[in-house]
Amino acid sequence: MNKTVSRRSQAGWLPIVRGVLLGVALTAVLVALFALLISLFPLSDGVIRAVNQLIKLAAIVVGARSAVGAGSRIAPLRGALVGLVYMAAGVLVYALLTGQPVSALSYLADLAMGVAAGGLTGMAAGRQ
């Protein structure tokens, strides 16, 4: 394949959109499996919250890795954007589905986690 075509296909928003969609798909699968576990075993609210955070983190890591090309100078930025968009969309969907208001502090904390996890993943993946 031509290097110009390969670079062009990795430019722009397409890798970021692909990373976010992959993260969303992974989230759906992991949440379904976790819901099955919750139905089989009594789990405390603390455990459920922790596992939900780990699911989000795993989705960001997988999504950011898929959006970042090896040796890319913008890998941390791309990873951070995947984390930001994934978390912003997740908080928005949660608020819409549950009808519960989201506090500004928890919203900012989720966004910060997404940016940090995505940026660090992008940095590590871009170095390979």
Side-chain angles (χ1 to χ4, degrees):
M1 181 185 276
N2 186 334
K3 284 186 179 185
T4 305
V5 173
S6 175
R7 283 190 186 147
R8 231 180 254 147
S9 67
Q10 291 297 314
W13 290 97
L14 186 61
I16 294 165
V17 170
R18 182 183 63 232
V20 171
L21 291 176
L22 183 60
V24 168
L26 180 62
T27 300
V29 169
L30 292 177
V31 165
L33 291 173
F34 188 48
L36 178 63
L37 284 175
I38 290 172
S39 71
L40 296 174
F41 303 103
L43 300 175
S44 70
D45 287 345
V47 169
I48 292 171
R49 276 193 292 275
V51 171
N52 282 335
Q53 290 296 89
L54 289 173
I55 288 171
K56 289 188 274 188
L57 185 61
I60 292 168
V61 167
V62 169
R65 281 194 57 83
S66 77
V68 172
S72 172
R73 285 178 278 155
I74 62 168
L77 176 62
R78 247 190 216 165
L81 283 172
V82 168
L84 177 70
V85 172
Y86 171 86
M87 290 303 271
V91 169
L92 178 65
V93 168
Y94 172 80
L96 290 174
L97 290 178
T98 63
Q100 296 179 0
V102 178
S103 74
L105 185 60
S106 70
Y107 183 62
L108 289 175
D110 275 354
L111 292 180
M113 182 183 100
V115 170
L120 289 171
T121 300
M123 189 181 304
R127 294 180 60 101
Q128 296 177 353

